[in-house]
Amino acid sequence: VLPSFAAKWLLPRMSRFRDRHPDIDVMVSANNKLVDFSEDIFEMGIRYGLGSYPGLRCDLLLEDDVFPVCSPKLLAGPHPLETPEDLRHHTLLHDEVSRQDESPDWRSWLQAAGVEGIDWKRGPGFSDSSMVIEAAAAGQGVALGHRWLAAADLEGGRIVMPFGPVVPSKFCYYLVSPPGIAERRRVRLFREWLLDEAEKSG
């Protein structure tokens, strides 16, 4: 699983799985490497992509969308964030995911917002989406927040969404397993629990 999704969505919920199935121990490997089930020991992966994973059982876990997020401090000051046009006065923060084809980035978001004349490439980049949220919370600029990665920090008031629009992503989170492994009891129970958590999140 991607480190950002593990930290911001999966790990805060894991105690509920342990409460439901105390006999099953889960090892979480959080990294950006695409798991190779033919070589690695893993039984399940959570992938962020377009959902085309030939040879694997694939279940949609969560759809995604993006929107600007920033520290509440940026709502005041000499250039308060009130409309999308105000972004021209602020640093844009980027993550590695937004550099992938089909994934929303500042260019596509600004187009959706009808804003022209802003250099969407400017600003620092980060290799992990959770780092971009932390930089935004620290007041270092404005990030495109992914719904499930930003949710807890929005609820806690560390970041705010100054304005829309909310732009849907073609990328979603998917559960993947080799067909021969997918119906093992521990894999099946973990998948069912994840899908139940996703439904509650929605």
Side-chain angles (χ1 to χ4, degrees):
V1 60
L2 290 170
S4 55
F5 191 72
K8 295 293 189 180
W9 191 89
L10 179 60
L11 297 184
R13 292 169 165 77
M14 286 295 294
S15 62
R16 296 202 281 267
F17 180 77
R18 288 193 297 273
D19 291 342
R20 187 183 294 187
H21 300 290
D23 60 314
I24 301 176
D25 291 324
V26 178
M27 184 193 78
V28 176
S29 175
N31 59 63
N32 293 318
K33 179 182 175 236
L34 196 64
V35 63
D36 182 351
F37 290 104
S38 67
E39 297 181 0
D40 294 326
I41 62 171
F42 301 108
E43 296 176 298
M44 175 184 290
I46 301 176
R47 291 186 178 171
Y48 184 67
L50 298 172
S52 176
Y53 305 113
L56 298 176
R57 171 175 175 150
C58 182
D59 294 89
L60 174 63
L61 181 63
L62 292 163
E63 295 180 338
D64 195 25
D65 47 44
V66 299
F67 43 83
V69 295
C70 65
S71 165
K73 294 183 287 188
L74 297 190
L75 301 183
H79 299 290
L81 281 168
E82 298 175 346
T83 70
E85 286 77 10
D86 296 325
L87 288 169
R88 68 184 71 254
H89 303 295
H90 292 267
T91 300
L92 302 182
L93 306 174
H94 306 264
D95 66 19
E96 192 67 32
V97 170
S98 66
R99 295 176 185 168
Q100 301 181 46
D101 292 341
E102 310 279 350
S103 183
D105 57 14
W106 274 116
R107 176 175 55 179
S108 59
W109 188 88
L110 289 166
Q111 288 174 344
V115 178
E116 298 179 352
I118 293 179
D119 179 7
W120 65 274
K121 294 180 181 179
R122 64 179 168 80
F126 301 84
S127 62
D128 186 77
S129 298
S130 60
M131 293 168 61
V132 120
I133 296 293
E134 291 304 310
Q140 296 176 20
V142 187
L144 278 182
H146 294 260
R147 186 198 321 183
W148 306 112
L149 306 184
D153 292 305
L154 284 167
E155 188 175 334
R158 295 184 69 230
I159 56 174
V160 295
M161 182 175 80
F163 38 68
V166 175
V167 176
S169 174
K170 293 181 181 179
F171 280 31
C172 301
Y173 293 95
Y174 294 92
L175 306 178
V176 294
S177 291
I181 292 176
E183 292 310 315
R184 291 178 182 173
R185 176 180 177 270
R186 61 179 176 257
V187 177
R188 175 175 53 80
L189 291 176
F190 192 57
R191 180 176 64 248
E192 290 172 354
W193 173 77
L194 283 167
L195 293 171
D196 184 50
E197 287 292 324
E199 186 175 349
K200 291 174 182 174
S201 296

